[in-house]
Amino acid sequence: MSHVVELRSDTFTLPTPRMLEAATTARLGDDVYGEDPAVIELEELSAKSLGKAAGCLMPSGTMANLAALLTHSPRGGKAVVGSESDIYVYEAGGASVFGGIVYEPVTAAPDGTLPLAAVAEAFDVDREDPQFALPAVLALETPHNRRGGIPLDAGYLAAAGALAREHGVALHLDGARIFNAAIALGVPAAELAAPADTVQFCLSKGLSAPIGSVLVGDERSIATARRYRKMLGGGMRQAGIVAACGIIALTEMVDRLADDHAHARRLAEGLADIPGLRLDPEPPRTNMVFFTVDTRHTPHTTETVIEGARARGVHLAELGPGRVRAVTHSGVTAADIDRAVSALADTMAARPGAGW
Ligand SMILES: *Cc1c(COP(=O)(O)O)cnc(C)c1O
C-alpha cells in the first residue's frame, strides 16, 4: 500500500529539508544565558510578526499557555477560559496545579466565541467581598479547535480586549494556529494579536517545525514568563537547533497554509457527497474538517468509520464524542485528499467490519 494519509493532526508534520539543514548549521549558544543567536532571532521575528515588543521560545504550547497564565494571575486569582478550550480541556489543569489559579469556564458558542455577556458576568465580582476569587486573566483560542477550527474575527477580539481592560483583566490569546486564522480572515496576524497582552503560537503544527511555541507580549510580561519557563523546567540550552527550524517555519511556511485550507475545503466537498456523513461546521474555515456519522441512516458508527478509513491507509481521529476530525497540513497533497474521500466512500459503502 502507498503511504498513510495522516489526517489526525497537523502535529504530525515533519521538519522540511531546509529546517534540518538550518538546525545543523545554526550558530549555537546557551539560551539560559540569553546567548543563542538563533533563539534571539526567532524571538525577535515572532514578536515582530505579531506586533509585540518581545518573545520567548517555549518547548510547547502547553508551557506557553501555562507561563502566560502564571504571569497574569496571582495565586487564588481567576482565569476565565472557554469550556472547550485547549487550556481547559487538554492541559492537565496546569494553572490550577502549579499556580493555584481558579479556572472559570464560559460555554463557547458554536462559532468559537465566548459570549461577551457571559464573560462580563464572570468578571463582575464585588472586589470588596472576600468571598470571591478575583478575575485576573481571560484566555481566548483562535482558531478554536473544538469548535471546528473557526477563527475569531478581529472585531470580536477587539471587543473582548476592551472588556478585559475595563475590568483590569489581562487577555491571553491561545493562537496555536493564529497564522491559519489570519489567512482565513485575510487580515495580518498582528491585527488579531493587537488586543491581547500575550499570544502564544505553535511552530510545531501547520508551520511544520518539529518542536516549539513562542509566547509574545510586552517586555515585562515576557520577562516574567521567561522566569516561569525556567521554573517549569523549560529553559533549554543550545535551543538554537529548535529555533533554527522555527525561523524557517515563520519565513517559509506561513503563506502555504492557504493550501491546507484549500485541501480542507476539497475534503469537505468530497465528504458532502457520501451518504451517512454530515459535515459540521460547513464549509471548513481553516485546516480542519469535522463530521459526524448519521447513525439513523447508516449501520456505521464513529468507531467503524475511523477503523474502515485506517484499514484503507487514512488516519482520522475522534475529537469530542461522536465527532471525527481531519486536519490538513504540509504532509498532505490534493491526491491524498482524493484518496481520503475514496477511503471514506468505500468504508461507508461496505458493511461495518467487512473487508478490513
Ligand atoms: C496544540 C495546541 C496547544 C498546545 O500545544 P502543545 O505544543 O501540543 O503543548 C494549545 N492550544 C491549542 C489551541 C492547540 O491546538
Side-chain angles (χ1 to χ4, degrees):
M1 186 164 44
S2 50
H3 73 282
V4 162
V5 180
E6 182 54 78
L7 296 172
R8 281 175 297 172
S9 178
D10 47 8
T11 55
F12 283 90
T13 47
L14 297 173
T16 65
R18 292 263 301 129
M19 288 179 188
L20 296 175
E21 188 200 333
T24 52
T25 54
R27 277 194 305 125
L28 301 173
D30 187 328
D31 179 50
V32 177
Y33 284 72
E35 292 181 13
D36 188 288
V39 173
I40 293 168
E41 186 183 338
L42 172 65
E43 290 176 345
E44 287 176 0
L45 185 61
S46 301
K48 195 159 151 258
S49 301
L50 293 175
K52 301 297 185 198
C56 180
L57 173 65
M58 297 278 178
S60 68
T62 300
M63 192 186 287
N65 284 331
L66 176 54
L69 296 185
L70 293 170
T71 295
H72 297 307
S73 179
R75 293 188 73 78
K78 186 159 89 172
V80 178
V81 298
S83 59
E84 299 297 320
S85 64
D86 201 274
I87 286 177
Y88 189 56
V89 178
Y90 294 126
E91 297 182 9
S96 168
V97 175
F98 298 112
I101 296 167
V102 182
Y103 294 101
E104 181 157 328
V106 167
T107 303
D111 66 358
T113 58
L114 306 186
L116 293 184
V119 173
E121 212 168 292
F123 287 168
D124 207 7
V125 301
D126 179 353
R127 288 184 171 257
E128 304 308 316
D129 187 330
Q131 295 180 103
F132 301 121
L134 300 182
V137 57
L138 166 66
L140 297 175
E141 178 179 313
T142 191
H144 197 322
N145 177 21
R146 287 172 61 91
R147 285 288 186 256
I150 299 179
L152 305 178
D153 65 52
Y156 171 79
L157 289 168
L163 180 65
R165 255 192 321 282
E166 222 175 89
H167 288 82
V169 170
L171 174 60
H172 171 66
L173 190 56
D174 180 357
R177 300 180 179 84
I178 194 170
F179 295 102
N180 293 84
I183 284 173
L185 295 166
V187 301
E191 188 178 327
L192 302 177
D197 296 283
T198 48
V199 182
Q200 87 85 13
F201 69 93
C202 295
L203 298 162
S204 56
K205 295 191 172 160
L207 298 183
S208 309
I211 297 169
S213 274
V214 185
L215 182 70
V216 300
D218 62 274
E219 298 274 4
R220 223 175 119 210
S221 297
I222 296 305
T224 304
R226 199 179 289 285
R227 176 175 298 277
Y228 282 120
R229 182 188 68 170
K230 185 72 176 77
M231 192 186 294
L232 294 167
M236 300 180 286
R237 299 296 178 175
Q238 280 70 46
I241 288 185
V242 171
C245 297
I247 292 167
I248 304 285
L250 269 182
T251 53
E252 297 183 11
M253 302 299 282
V254 171
D255 292 345
R256 64 151 305 286
L257 295 173
D259 299 345
D260 299 341
H261 298 182
H263 289 159
R265 288 192 300 271
R266 184 184 180 102
L267 179 59
E269 282 159 20
L271 296 191
D273 292 334
I274 301 176
L277 301 183
R278 213 172 62 79
L279 290 162
D280 180 26
E282 188 186 21
R285 297 287 305 281
T286 53
N287 67 330
M288 295 178 182
V289 178
F290 282 81
F291 60 93
T292 56
V293 179
D294 186 353
T295 50
R296 291 167 311 169
H297 295 112
T298 165
H300 280 280
T301 63
T302 313
E303 289 72 27
T304 66
V305 169
I306 291 170
E307 274 171 33
R310 182 172 267 268
R312 292 169 175 84
V314 176
H315 290 184
L316 300 165
E318 185 169 4
L319 195 103
R323 297 181 86 200
V324 183
R325 185 182 76 159
V327 187
T328 58
H329 53 76
S330 60
V332 176
T333 63
D336 290 335
I337 295 297
D338 296 344
R339 248 187 80 202
V341 172
S342 311
L344 281 163
D346 290 352
T347 298
M348 295 304 286
R351 271 184 302 112
W356 64 71

